[in-house]
Amino acid sequence: MKYKDGKLGHKQDKNARVLPMTILLFVLCGFSFYLGGIFCSEKEGVNVNTAMDIENSVTSSRDTVASPLQLKPVVFQECSKEYQDYTPCTDPRKWKKYGFYRLTFMERHCPPVFERKECLIPPPDGYKPPIRWPKSKDECWYRNVPYDWINKQKSNQNWLRKEGEKFLFPGGGTMFPNGVSAYVDLMQDLIPEMKDGTIRTAIDTGCGVASWGGDLLDRGILTVSLAPRDNHEAQVQFALERGIPAILGIISTQRLPFPSSSFDMAHCSRCLIPWTEFGGIYLLEINRILRPGGLWVLSGPPVNYENRWRGWNTTVEEQRSDYEKLQELLTSMCFTLYNKKDDIAVWQKSTDPNCFDKIAADAYPPKCDDSLEPDSAWYSPLRTCVVSPDPKLKRTSLMAIPKWPDRLHTSPERVSDVYGGSAGTFKHDDSKWMVRAKHYKKLLPAIGTEKIRNVMDMNTVYGGFAAAIIDDPLWVMNVVSSYAANTLPVVYDRGLIGTYHDWCEAFSTYPRTYDLLHLDGLFTAEGHRCEMKYVLLEMDRILRPNGYAIIRESSYYVDAVASMAKGMRWGCRKEETEYSTEKEKMLICHKKLWYSSSRKSR
């Protein structure tokens, strides 16, 4: 070691200090564990904030294992039946508290800690295990999503129809009366890149029951279907019940929870978003999340206004004006009309940095200044300015990125933007998850079968788990913590989908929407912020009855998690990791199907 004067200490001086320092270290550690034992034995609940400093110091050595966290057994009560479709951060019962301006009441408004529910969400009366993929794309049990509004109000548009105990999904929609497949066929004629692997990821704003996204799955395109919780009742719940990727969300005052330059294509089929209002702020958000060269597809007003205006309760002059405003706005944002036929128009985002450089600060809309981080998207306000692509990135545009499926295992250019990220670390992560996924399938043979369709990786890094099981009949929602390194651009560049999220809050989905939840060291990484019981209760809320959870955690947490999971009526077993290390263990958990104790007699 070096002293302050920079001179090296003598070898005998260094050795003389080893013994007393070692003794002092053992005394301090022993005293810390003693205090920790007192604290944990007296505390009825569990707050992962406690003992994190001890946990971090103990696990800093690869050869040292922390003593497990001890908990008293806890049993969670049932929530009342009125909470069977509870979405904590988008709760209609709270809407009156928030403003109606730009539909802000439909955005995320999470309850404070003292209002959080500490109970288990019951399934509806008559709930059955969901119909399995691929049949689920066309039908689901009525009692699992017992909402008739769309069936009654949209019956003429053939979104869905109720027959006996089931909802059927014939693939209709406002702008595709001949069925969604015929609609997508026409779209593919306009966009050849949909056929050759160029386009892999898409977002559907105002998705209805996600028939567009469902049809694209058969064509190798993975779509995030987006819709708010509104008077349509359970659009996103219908989508997930069908086994189609979807998330609750709305373009209102906050950015969507995705990084910039993510999606290859964005779509709106008469989604009724006023694209040219409020300074074009909604279309500017589409510009942000669409990668250079990406395509924006619009069907419905004001496209084909010459033939359609009579059905839109307006005049042809008004519709012509709306279309001209839209075209002018898109041009100012460096979009050009790519193709157009009948009710469908397609614009393409420019890949030319010079176009964005020419946007002046006093233009309409102006170019965003450097203070606005383009990937900042968790509770970040929308701004009426153009986010321009990073000029140093040469391989993220639609035409430069490898085609699917080659892009899945190709090191993305943006991995170098991640702290410590490189092509080497990406390849290592890719290989690691191949080994892990193989081990997971031995422990949980249901992976790869019809029992598991909707999967969530709750704290991914590069989407390695999703990539490793890509050939199974399932899809994965990759979640990157809003407090972790920003790796979500890498996930999208691989051709996978995901979202930012903070697990101290509820996720933007309905109850009972995922078949498998996977977490890798989530409590170890974020236990200093999030109380364990609320994270586990949220996992229980979004996990389907008879669903599974793979919980990979430090030995310090795994027994505590197992104890609390038992109180949620989960059955868990402890397993070794693929390398059987003492510092890390796994829980394979199964959520049992139960019904409310106040269930109606049948």
Side-chain angles (χ1 to χ4, degrees):
M1 65 183 250
K2 286 188 176 182
Y3 294 134
K4 288 183 179 179
D5 59 4
K7 296 180 181 180
L8 291 174
H10 296 294
K11 186 174 182 179
Q12 59 267 33
D13 293 337
K14 179 178 179 181
N15 292 338
R17 287 177 168 80
V18 171
L19 184 59
M21 289 181 67
T22 303
I23 294 172
L24 180 60
L25 178 61
F26 274 106
V27 170
L28 289 175
C29 287
F31 185 64
S32 297
F33 277 114
Y34 172 73
L35 292 178
I38 293 174
F39 177 81
C40 292
S41 64
E42 291 179 350
K43 193 169 179 66
E44 290 185 2
V46 57
N47 189 330
V48 196
N49 299 349
T50 62
M52 279 306 297
D53 292 337
I54 297 174
E55 207 283 324
N56 288 335
S57 64
V58 172
T59 58
S60 63
S61 170
R62 297 179 63 87
D63 300 324
T64 307
V65 180
S67 298
L69 180 64
Q70 300 297 319
L71 288 178
K72 290 183 178 180
V74 59
V75 176
F76 294 102
Q77 302 301 313
E78 300 173 13
C79 298
S80 62
K81 290 174 61 175
E82 64 182 292
Y83 286 97
Q84 68 182 29
D85 63 350
Y86 183 47
T87 54
C89 297
T90 50
D91 187 354
R93 284 167 285 205
K94 306 289 186 181
W95 282 352
K96 291 182 179 180
K97 295 175 58 177
Y98 308 108
F100 286 84
Y101 176 70
R102 285 168 47 187
L103 303 179
T104 54
F105 64 95
M106 292 183 186
E107 292 187 297
R108 289 179 61 85
H109 302 284
C110 298
V113 174
F114 61 85
E115 289 185 5
R116 289 182 180 177
K117 300 298 176 185
E118 297 186 23
C119 52
L120 306 178
I121 304 296
D125 287 342
Y127 180 88
K128 298 181 180 181
I131 296 170
R132 298 303 179 184
W133 185 267
K135 286 185 65 177
S136 63
K137 189 171 75 169
D138 300 319
E139 60 185 40
C140 77
W141 297 115
Y142 165 72
R143 293 308 314 171
N144 289 12
V145 194
Y147 306 109
D148 278 335
W149 191 92
I150 296 179
N151 180 45
K152 294 176 180 177
Q153 299 296 321
K154 301 287 185 178
S155 58
N156 63 319
Q157 296 169 11
N158 223 20
W159 285 21
L160 76 169
R161 66 175 182 269
K162 186 175 181 294
E163 287 189 5
E165 295 185 344
K166 293 180 179 179
F167 277 127
L168 305 183
F169 301 92
T174 309
M175 297 308 301
F176 29 95
N178 296 322
V180 66
S181 291
Y183 175 79
V184 177
D185 286 343
L186 175 58
M187 193 177 296
Q188 283 190 334
D189 291 341
L190 299 177
I191 310 171
E193 292 84 356
M194 292 176 66
K195 301 177 183 179
D196 65 359
T198 301
I199 292 176
R200 165 62 182 173
T201 60
I203 182 169
D204 188 14
T205 53
C207 66
V209 294
S211 293
W212 186 75
D215 186 83
L216 288 180
L217 287 172
D218 296 333
R219 305 175 193 241
I221 297 174
L222 192 58
T223 303
V224 176
S225 294
L226 181 80
R229 179 162 185 171
D230 59 10
N231 62 349
H232 283 70
E233 284 189 331
Q235 296 173 87
V236 165
Q237 192 171 18
F238 275 120
L240 289 161
E241 187 72 15
R242 299 175 69 185
I244 300 171
I247 191 171
L248 281 167
I250 185 173
I251 312 178
S252 178
T253 66
Q254 306 288 328
R255 282 180 167 180
L256 296 176
F258 314 116
S260 63
S261 301
S262 299
F263 294 96
D264 306 331
M265 180 167 64
H267 173 257
C268 163
S269 173
R270 202 174 186 187
C271 56
L272 304 182
I273 297 175
W275 295 111
T276 58
E277 294 183 19
F278 309 110
I281 199 166
Y282 306 131
L283 197 51
L284 287 164
E285 176 64 354
I286 295 297
N287 165 72
R288 185 186 70 85
I289 64 176
L290 198 62
R291 71 175 63 250
L295 299 160
W296 184 58
V297 183
L298 177 66
S299 65
V303 177
N304 198 18
Y305 67 87
E306 302 94 331
N307 301 308
R308 288 283 194 174
W309 67 270
R310 289 181 182 83
W312 293 341
N313 298 318
T314 182
T315 66
V316 66
E317 290 78 17
E318 289 174 339
Q319 286 298 309
R320 181 187 297 111
S321 175
D322 288 346
Y323 184 81
E324 290 172 352
K325 289 178 183 177
L326 180 64
Q327 181 63 58
E328 182 181 1
L329 176 61
L330 286 161
T331 300
S332 70
M333 296 163 50
C334 294
F335 280 73
T336 56
L337 186 63
Y338 181 82
N339 215 335
K340 182 172 177 283
K341 184 177 181 181
D342 298 335
D343 296 326
I344 302 175
V346 184
W347 284 268
Q348 186 171 34
K349 180 177 175 178
S350 177
T351 60
D352 182 8
N354 294 326
C355 182
F356 293 96
D357 289 342
K358 292 176 182 177
I359 301 176
D362 58 351
Y364 174 80
K367 184 178 179 179
C368 292
D369 58 49
D370 293 337
S371 66
L372 185 65
E373 166 56 48
D375 290 346
S376 178
W378 187 248
Y379 291 126
S380 295
L382 294 178
R383 283 178 53 183
T384 50
C385 58
V386 180
V387 173
S388 58
D390 188 338
K392 79 174 188 293
L393 297 175
K394 307 297 183 184
R395 294 184 286 110
T396 58
S397 70
L398 187 62
M399 300 309 171
I401 202 164
K403 293 183 179 181
W404 181 262
D406 293 341
R407 66 195 277 187
L408 181 64
H409 298 294
T410 301
S411 178
E413 184 179 20
R414 288 193 279 185
V415 73
S416 60
D417 290 340
V418 180
Y419 179 77
S422 65
T425 58
F426 175 84
K427 290 296 184 184
H428 174 74
D429 186 81
D430 209 22
S431 300
K432 175 183 73 177
W433 280 105
M434 291 295 182
V435 175
R436 287 185 172 187
K438 185 177 180 180
H439 183 63
Y440 287 2
K441 289 184 176 182
K442 290 180 181 178
L443 300 179
L444 185 58
I447 300 175
T449 73
E450 64 175 13
K451 293 182 178 180
I452 292 177
R453 173 63 185 170
N454 303 347
V455 179
M456 180 185 290
D457 193 355
M458 294 176 60
N459 60 325
T460 192
V461 180
Y462 296 138
F465 178 48
I469 56 176
I470 196 68
D471 293 327
D472 294 326
L474 50 78
W475 61 272
V476 180
M477 179 64 74
N478 293 282
V479 181
V480 170
S481 169
S482 57
Y483 284 82
N486 181 27
T487 59
L488 197 53
V490 175
V491 171
Y492 274 95
D493 288 348
R494 300 186 73 173
L496 304 171
I497 58 172
T499 180
Y500 295 117
H501 184 62
D502 176 3
W503 283 110
C504 296
E505 299 179 356
F507 193 77
S508 296
T509 192
Y510 283 84
R512 303 172 301 279
T513 46
Y514 283 86
D515 299 302
L516 173 64
L517 303 177
H518 171 262
L519 66 83
D520 178 16
L522 177 63
F523 299 114
T524 299
E526 301 208 0
H528 62 290
R529 296 191 310 104
C530 306
E531 193 168 346
M532 184 190 293
K533 67 178 176 182
Y534 291 122
V535 178
L536 287 168
L537 284 168
E538 177 62 5
M539 291 172 65
D540 182 79
R541 185 185 74 88
I542 67 180
L543 190 62
R544 285 171 166 174
N546 291 324
Y548 301 91
I550 299 176
I551 300 172
R552 187 183 186 106
E553 263 301 342
S554 64
S555 300
Y556 180 76
Y557 283 115
V558 71
D559 290 332
V561 173
S563 175
M564 193 163 291
K566 185 177 180 180
M568 300 190 305
R569 310 182 191 184
W570 290 14
C572 297
R573 68 180 195 271
K574 187 189 293 188
E575 296 284 359
E576 298 291 333
T577 64
E578 59 279 356
Y579 295 119
S580 301
T581 61
E582 283 302 313
K583 63 179 292 185
E584 187 179 42
K585 300 296 179 182
M586 291 174 55
L587 291 175
I588 306 297
C589 299
H590 177 246
K591 177 181 175 179
K592 299 173 184 177
L593 172 59
W594 56 271
Y595 295 98
S596 172
S597 56
S598 59
R599 185 182 181 190
K600 295 177 182 177
S601 58
R602 299 174 64 86

